Amino acid sequence: MSETMNLHQVPEAMTLHRSLWAGRILSAIVVVALVADGTIQLLVPAQVAGMLRETGFAVDLTRTVGPTILVCAIFYAIPATSVLGAILVTGFLGGAICAHVRIGELGSPPELISLLLGAMTWGGLYARDPRIRALLPIVH
């Protein structure tokens, strides 16, 4: 009987190991994208000035938006605060999507990228955090 349990536990452990790494990779992609965006906002505000103007925001908001993005990325990257980070990232990306919808850019590349990053944020967290899988038992 114990041999049967061990045979079932091995594939389950391998699946959890793969899931953990898939979640880490997805989460790392999100963190890298957020850190790159936040850094660009801080170091090269002229590059984002046009986009900010198009969406109706003041150009000098890069000094606020850049650190906000970086804080979201940091909270998301730290396991103890990853759920809070995912909520903050989702809020930020939702605002970005809303800004593009407001100006009639439904389905624009920035909007789709924000949507994809939001899905990757929660997908990565779901794959790497058993607390989230327990709350949302999608796969049995």
Side-chain angles (χ1 to χ4, degrees), residues 17-38:
H17 182 72
R18 287 184 189 138
S19 176
L20 175 64
W21 277 102
R24 287 176 178 166
I25 291 167
L26 277 175
S27 296
I29 292 169
V30 170
V31 169
V32 167
L34 292 172
V35 168
D37 189 23

Side-chain angles (χ1 to χ4, degrees), residues 11-114:
E12 185 177 319
M14 287 176 59
T15 300
L16 286 174
H17 182 72
R18 287 184 189 138
S19 176
L20 175 64
W21 277 102
R24 287 176 178 166
I25 291 167
L26 277 175
S27 296
I29 292 169
V30 170
V31 169
V32 167
L34 292 172
V35 168
D37 189 23
T39 302
I40 289 170
Q41 298 269 343
L42 285 173
L43 300 180
V44 196
Q47 280 191 309
V48 264
M51 189 168 45
L52 281 173
R53 264 190 239 105
E54 286 176 16
T55 54
F57 292 102
V59 175
D60 62 345
L61 280 177
T62 58
R63 290 186 208 117
T64 304
V65 174
T68 301
I69 296 170
L70 293 173
V71 166
C72 291
I74 290 167
F75 278 140
Y76 181 65
I78 298 169
T81 59
S82 60
V83 174
L84 172 61
I87 293 167
L88 294 173
V89 167
T90 304
F92 179 80
L93 294 172
I97 291 169
C98 183
H100 287 280
V101 169
R102 185 183 65 77
I103 62 172
E105 291 185 348
L106 188 62
S108 66
E111 187 181 47
L112 295 175
I113 290 168
S114 294

